[in-house]
Amino acid sequence: MLETLVKERRIFIDASSLLAPQSLKTFPNLIQVQKKYRRKINIHQSVADALNAAAYDDQDLERKKIAQNSIRQLQELQKEKLLEFRESVEANSSPAKDIYQSCSYFRMDVPLLVITQDADLTADLIALNRQESARGHNVFVKKFNKYGYLSNVIDPPHNAKPQRASENT
């Protein structure tokens, strides 16, 4: 499944996944398949900024180590021309906002894969898929799991707000 996703989709990775402990196992697996098919990973400047901030944060040493590892791996990809940096939408933009806006734009032309641990971004991307554009592709949203693989995210219900019986009439 990972090979099919990488081969057929433009890949975006959020800071939340690159800073998750699971990334130490999963990111190398993704990179191996990505190199095989010579597919670029897209990283927004806001993601790079979040990684750099975490790499110098002495308050959380585990997160610092994960950030430094992710930065090293991204630098390797950049040397091999397998990393594409994208400008942030606006100054001080968040990684989630940048990824959402890129998906809104690119899904009209190419199939996308977004890897994120962010539940709110996941919900937003699933809602974007439900807009049922005539030309748009669905955005596949996956997350790193603890075993070193990509996992499906849970699809929230269409209407999470319960309705009272009187509202149905």
Side-chain angles (χ1 to χ4, degrees):
M1 180 171 121
L2 177 61
E3 288 202 19
T4 302
L5 287 172
V6 170
K7 185 170 46 172
E8 296 176 355
R9 300 185 174 274
R10 181 173 290 191
I11 305 165
F12 288 88
I13 301 181
D14 185 28
S16 63
S17 287
L18 293 173
L19 290 170
Q22 305 91 304
S23 72
L24 295 173
K25 288 182 181 178
T26 313
F27 196 41
N29 293 340
L30 175 66
I31 290 172
Q32 182 180 3
V33 175
Q34 179 224 358
K35 285 180 179 181
K36 178 179 176 181
Y37 293 105
R38 306 293 302 165
R39 300 290 295 183
K40 290 184 179 182
I41 289 179
N42 292 268
I43 300 289
H44 285 90
Q45 185 60 48
S46 56
V47 172
D49 293 345
L51 285 175
N52 284 325
Y56 290 101
D57 182 9
D58 292 327
Q59 301 297 321
D60 188 342
L61 296 179
E62 181 184 0
R63 185 178 161 120
K64 179 179 180 174
K65 176 185 156 199
I66 294 167
Q68 290 170 342
N69 183 61
S70 291
I71 289 169
R72 272 193 304 278
Q73 291 177 322
L74 291 173
Q75 287 170 336
E76 282 181 36
L77 292 175
Q78 190 172 21
K79 287 177 190 173
E80 296 181 37
K81 298 185 182 345
L82 292 172
L83 184 67
E84 188 167 333
F85 275 102
R86 301 203 162 274
E87 289 298 317
S88 291
V89 175
E90 56 193 38
N92 299 320
S93 187
S94 72
K97 183 176 184 177
D98 286 338
I99 288 175
Y100 182 82
Q101 289 192 343
S102 288
C103 288
S104 296
Y105 176 77
F106 285 113
R107 80 183 198 107
M108 297 312 246
D109 298 319
V110 294
L112 302 173
L113 167 63
V114 173
I115 301 169
T116 184
Q117 309 300 106
D118 184 329
D120 291 337
L121 176 59
T122 298
D124 288 342
L125 292 172
I126 290 170
L128 182 66
N129 284 339
R130 290 191 181 128
Q131 289 181 0
E132 298 181 13
S133 170
R135 295 183 341 161
H137 297 275
N138 273 341
V139 178
F140 273 57
V141 185
K142 302 286 183 181
K143 66 180 182 177
F144 292 155
N145 70 23
K146 65 182 180 180
Y147 303 108
Y149 299 102
L150 290 179
S151 289
N152 291 329
V153 294
I154 296 172
D155 187 348
H158 288 282
N159 184 1
K161 181 181 169 189
Q163 290 184 331
R164 290 186 291 225
S166 62
E167 293 177 3
N168 290 331
T169 58

